[in-house]
Amino acid sequence: MTITSMTAPVAPFGAITAHRIVTGFESALAALREWNETRRTIAILRALNADQLEDIGLSRADVEAMGHKGF
């Protein structure tokens, strides 16, 4: 009779740490992209006049509130 053990495969040394580092960089890059897109959108909205903002349902105060909103 043969007895086999049922163990989960083990990750190579340092693989988990490397994965966490890569995931951290990916998360930071995604946050940077989101910040930049928001910054560009706010810049475009600030360039619009009051009538144009009203056409899209925003006011100058709304745009400025977006600019002061934290990430």
Side-chain angles (χ1 to χ4, degrees):
M1 177 186 279
T2 305
I3 299 175
T4 58
S5 64
M6 301 290 282
T7 59
V10 178
F13 181 73
I16 294 172
T17 302
H19 178 266
R20 288 180 180 160
I21 290 170
V22 170
T23 303
F25 280 123
E26 288 174 344
S27 296
L29 186 58
L32 184 61
R33 285 182 180 145
E34 181 180 344
W35 168 82
N36 192 47
E37 184 175 333
T38 301
R39 181 192 62 81
R40 291 176 57 205
T41 301
I42 291 170
I44 291 168
L45 290 172
R46 283 181 175 156
L48 299 177
N49 64 37
D51 291 332
Q52 292 169 324
L53 286 172
E54 187 179 331
D55 285 344
I56 60 173
L58 294 174
S59 68
R60 182 71 51 205
D62 294 333
V63 174
E64 293 308 317
M66 287 179 209
H68 295 294
K69 183 180 174 183
F71 290 95

